[in-house]
Amino acid sequence: MRPLTRGLLANSPYLLLVGVLAAVPPFITNQYHLQVLTFIGIYIILAQSLNLLNGYVGLLSIGHAAFYGVGAYASAKLVMDLHLPFLLAMPGAALVAAGVGYLIAKPTLHLSGIYMTLATLGFNIIFFLILQNWMSFTNGPLGIMDIPPPSFFGREIGSRLGYYYLILALVILTMVSLQRLISCRFGRALIAIREDELAAEAMGVHTTRYKIQAFVLAAFFAGLAGSFYAHFVKFVSPDSFYIYESFILLAMLAFGGQGNLAGPLVGAAVLVLIPEAFRFLQEYRMFVYGGVLIVMMLVRRQGLLGGRVYSLRLPFFDDRERKVYARGDKFLPLEEE
Amino acid sequence: MFEQLINGLTQGGVYALLALGFTMIFGTLRMVTFAHGEVYMIGAYMGFEMVRLLYPSLALALVAAMAATALLGLLIELLAFHFLRDAPHVTSLLVTIGISILLVNLAQLIWGPETQSINYALLDKMAYGEISLGGVYISYLQLSVLGVTVLLMVLLFLLINKTKLGMVIRATAQDYEAAYAMGVKVNRIFALAFAIGSMLGGVAGVLVGIYYNLFYPTMGQLYGLKAFSASVVGGLTSLPGAVVAGLMIGVVETFSVEFGASGLRHMVSFIFMILILIFRPGGLFSGKEPIQARGD
């Protein structure tokens, strides 16, 4: 069998999942359901990006909503003031968020544990206060209104279905790139830092550099989600990016579990769905998040799916391990498929 | 100018009280709580209810708030720290974040999200009556807020430095394992420190509540975080550091409004915190080395 076919077959459960997610929505007639699905997508990207920090590197960031906000405001500004097309504005906004992430990571990441956590919190609050007070640029607490919808080569996305497919593509992009990143040298370095920073350093892992890279990447993906949010809701205001938003993300990780890609996915999906599914819970949304944080930490610290890596790949077609072994040993000739 | 200084000191005194609470807690447990701002808010509402419902007396309001917040502190310690003694720091931190979310929403449920104030003739009299101290006018209200703040600080310093109990607390703060080996009931000391810290927070809540006569469920958020940064600036384990940093932030904040940078007002403390974290992680007084948290 050719390697490509093998790979496709091994990954067929994933492809099936994506196929279902792509094929079913046109049959959903309720626009509101599509909107909820889209929000789940946004939060999956956010939770996954935070997972890169909290789950893989073991840095607790409690100010992640700041980068989400940077992405949202940057995207709105790029499209409305600089008249960039959406296709450029979205990666542009993500890059701006990554740049801000770098500026924050550079001085703070040499701090240990709790101090770095505090610094992220401080930056989130400062960011919120800047948004509120810089009237001429961010329009203060009123926020920016009438953000144009995303358009591709002159074609605007108008329907909820269009938004759904866009966020689906972004979620897949995020998940696939994170999956690729963490299964290569970079990811192993991050996990080594999480398990034992001193040992990792002794083995030659440049811990500060990897931490900064992870931080910048997390900020990048959060900025991507922010950019989508801005064009989806068409309105950004400082309140959407206050520390409460960061806490919601923490609750998602706490619920789903971290350190793998499945946990944040499930956490984001469930915690967006719960308040939507039980309408009477709408008012008590924050109760749900607070309660989830407390109960999960007391009862199951690693979260629902935390603590191990899940894979849906079909082992029968999976030839990854053999290949890695062959590559690792110089004297063993590479097997021909 | 001097009036502004007094305003700043009053404000800063409250920050200092809250920061002392943080410092008491971090000093002994070596762990951070994020529910302190909400403890402060509950304290404020307790004072509010006391004056409104039971008996209009400021002293009683303070006592009620202290009792309620001490109990609340014990509860938080039990939930977030006692049950999670061997867990990593992150776990306790997340529980306290959860508790803070719950408390704010609980207060919203009980007292409503709107801002409330008390009708209390004595308060108005205190707010408008002034006395002159060498040409500087201070309202009675400011004087009593400052007075209570200073009194509590003095009491706390006496407790920590002059009594046997204080010695035990200091020993636990220095090395809880060694203290445990010497027969100190460490768990009780942790709970006690938490109760004392929360009590200070509750008093601060009542003081701010009557000073501005405004009570709302989210009143603790910004105050809690500011006081927290004050305690970081002070070095997280140093009581005098917390007082100095709290007063400093209060004064700088007031003057930033005076000089027209009112947008900057709420940012002052966080900017201080981040500068301290970057250049002097050990705090203002305790040198360059940061104090390690437990389970980090």
Side-chain angles (χ1 to χ4, degrees):
Chain A
M1 215 182 295
R2 289 170 58 196
L4 181 66
T5 344
R6 242 179 196 293
L8 280 180
L9 281 173
N11 281 316
S12 55
Y14 288 114
L15 296 175
L16 194 70
L17 197 67
V18 171
V20 169
L21 285 175
V24 169
F27 302 105
I28 299 178
T29 43
N30 192 334
Q31 297 292 302
Y32 165 73
H33 290 166
L34 277 177
Q35 186 176 334
V36 172
L37 283 177
T38 311
F39 265 110
I40 290 179
I42 296 179
Y43 278 102
I44 287 176
I45 299 180
L46 286 172
Q48 292 290 9
S49 71
L50 186 60
N51 179 35
L52 189 65
L53 285 181
N54 290 11
Y56 282 103
V57 205
L59 297 166
L60 182 68
S61 160
I62 47 180
H64 206 58
F67 304 113
Y68 179 36
V70 170
Y73 270 84
S75 191
K77 279 282 160 191
L78 284 177
V79 168
M80 293 172 77
D81 289 2
L82 297 181
H83 303 292
L84 278 183
F86 174 77
L87 263 182
L88 285 179
M90 183 174 248
L95 283 178
V96 170
V100 174
Y102 180 77
L103 290 182
I104 291 172
K106 189 75 183 159
T108 53
L109 276 186
H110 69 89
L111 299 169
S112 65
I114 184 70
Y115 290 90
M116 183 261 159
T117 302
L118 300 181
T120 60
L121 179 79
F123 275 118
N124 195 345
I125 296 166
I126 291 179
F127 172 71
F128 172 77
L129 291 171
I130 290 176
L131 287 187
Q132 276 214 318
N133 289 303
W134 195 359
M135 287 303 285
S136 58
F137 190 69
T138 64
N139 203 16
L142 298 174
I144 301 175
M145 275 166 279
D146 297 325
I147 300 169
S151 61
F152 295 94
F153 308 110
R155 270 184 158 190
E156 278 194 354
I157 289 186
S159 66
R160 294 260 172 259
L161 198 61
Y163 280 112
Y164 171 83
Y165 280 118
L166 181 57
I167 194 73
L168 182 66
L170 288 176
V171 168
I172 293 171
L173 176 78
T174 310
M175 300 269 295
V176 169
S177 23
L178 283 178
Q179 156 69 26
R180 299 308 295 160
L181 271 169
I182 57 180
S183 50
C184 75
R185 184 194 174 91
F186 176 75
R188 288 198 298 275
L190 295 191
I191 293 168
I193 293 172
R194 177 188 68 194
E195 293 302 326
D196 191 334
E197 193 167 340
L198 212 61
E201 189 121 33
M203 300 307 270
V205 177
H206 196 312
T207 52
T208 312
R209 198 174 66 201
Y210 276 107
K211 279 186 193 172
I212 292 176
Q213 285 172 350
F215 204 90
V216 169
L217 264 173
F220 178 87
F221 284 113
L224 204 64
S227 167
F228 179 84
Y229 173 86
H231 295 279
F232 174 56
V233 182
K234 301 190 180 66
F235 166 68
V236 286
S237 77
D239 286 331
S240 317
F241 312 109
Y242 194 48
I243 46 173
Y244 269 87
E245 202 64 23
S246 307
F247 291 170
I248 290 175
L249 296 180
L250 286 175
M252 285 169 179
L253 287 192
F255 182 79
Q258 37 190 313
N260 57 36
L261 290 178
L265 187 92
V266 172
V270 173
L271 287 197
V272 172
L273 273 179
I274 287 179
E276 301 288 347
F278 306 99
R279 294 310 297 236
F280 67 93
L281 276 179
Q282 279 286 332
E283 236 177 293
Y284 311 112
R285 213 163 76 100
M286 287 314 284
F287 273 106
V288 175
Y289 297 132
V292 159
L293 270 175
I294 299 175
V295 172
M296 286 312 283
M297 283 302 121
L298 287 173
V299 179
R300 197 176 154 84
R301 215 178 286 161
Q302 73 273 40
L304 214 56
L305 300 176
R308 51 166 298 204
V309 176
Y310 300 86
S311 172
L312 291 179
R313 284 172 71 101
L314 298 177
F316 180 72
F317 299 105
D318 201 348
D319 54 353
R320 276 185 306 173
E321 269 158 59
R322 208 150 40 105
K323 266 190 165 167
V324 168
Y325 171 68
R327 271 189 215 144
D329 196 335
K330 270 193 227 163
F331 301 104
L332 212 97
L334 265 168
E335 277 177 79
E336 290 300 324
E337 301 288 330
Chain B
M1 199 66 175
F2 277 110
E3 273 87 356
Q4 284 301 327
L5 188 66
I6 297 291
N7 282 343
L9 285 178
T10 317
Q11 186 79 40
V14 176
Y15 291 151
L17 273 188
L18 272 166
L20 278 176
F22 270 119
T23 307
M24 278 297 289
I25 292 165
F26 187 86
T28 45
L29 276 94
R30 287 286 188 276
M31 285 194 177
V32 169
T33 166
F34 270 119
H36 205 55
E38 277 58 47
V39 168
Y40 152 96
M41 177 267 297
I42 295 288
Y45 269 112
M46 282 300 143
F48 169 72
E49 287 297 348
M50 188 72 204
V51 170
R52 199 180 63 151
L53 287 180
L54 287 175
Y55 185 77
S57 148
L58 291 185
L60 274 181
L62 284 178
V63 172
M66 281 165 92
T69 46
L71 278 178
L72 186 62
L74 288 178
L75 185 72
I76 295 175
E77 202 274 335
L78 190 71
L79 259 183
F81 297 96
H82 189 268
F83 290 152
L84 294 169
R85 206 61 98 198
D86 58 337
H89 195 168
V90 176
T91 316
S92 296
L93 208 65
L94 290 179
V95 176
T96 57
I97 288 178
I99 291 174
S100 105
I101 298 175
L102 283 191
L103 284 177
V104 171
N105 287 278
L106 205 65
Q108 245 161 31
L109 213 61
I110 299 175
W111 290 288
E114 66 275 3
T115 305
Q116 303 188 344
S117 45
I118 11 177
N119 270 325
Y120 182 25
L122 181 60
L123 265 186
D124 295 339
K125 223 186 288 171
M126 282 168 73
Y128 294 116
E130 286 180 329
I131 53 165
S132 157
L133 287 178
V136 184
Y137 288 95
I138 308 179
S139 74
Y140 289 118
L141 194 56
Q142 271 182 334
L143 205 62
S144 39
V145 169
L146 267 175
V148 173
T149 312
V150 173
L151 179 72
L152 275 175
M153 283 176 191
V154 171
L155 282 180
L156 183 70
F157 280 99
L158 286 180
L159 172 75
I160 296 293
N161 291 323
K162 297 285 179 213
T163 65
K164 198 170 171 210
L165 182 65
M167 201 164 74
V168 176
I169 294 179
R170 272 181 293 147
T172 314
Q174 225 167 50
D175 187 340
Y176 77 100
E177 275 168 338
Y180 180 71
M182 294 294 154
V184 174
K185 293 193 173 64
V186 179
N187 274 332
R188 274 194 209 170
I189 298 298
F190 285 159
L192 182 74
F194 222 103
I196 294 176
S198 303
M199 222 148 75
L200 294 173
V203 173
V206 177
L207 292 180
V208 172
I210 60 166
Y211 186 47
Y212 294 113
N213 203 357
L214 296 173
F215 300 85
Y216 48 96
T218 50
M219 66 189 283
Q221 280 175 3
L222 211 52
Y223 261 81
L225 294 167
K226 277 183 191 171
F228 185 76
S229 37
S231 128
V232 173
V233 171
L236 269 175
T237 52
S238 141
L239 294 179
V243 173
V244 172
L247 290 176
M248 189 175 76
I249 286 175
V251 171
V252 174
E253 247 181 32
T254 315
F255 277 101
S256 74
V257 179
E258 175 83 357
F259 293 118
S262 56
L264 223 64
R265 180 178 165 201
H266 297 300
M267 270 184 252
V268 168
S269 55
F270 303 108
I271 293 171
F272 265 132
M273 174 171 91
I274 283 171
L275 288 180
I276 280 279
L277 281 177
I278 293 172
F279 295 110
R280 220 178 147 77
L284 277 179
F285 301 120
S286 30
K288 267 190 111 62
E289 274 308 296
I291 316 290
Q292 279 297 322
R294 194 142 50 83
D296 241 5

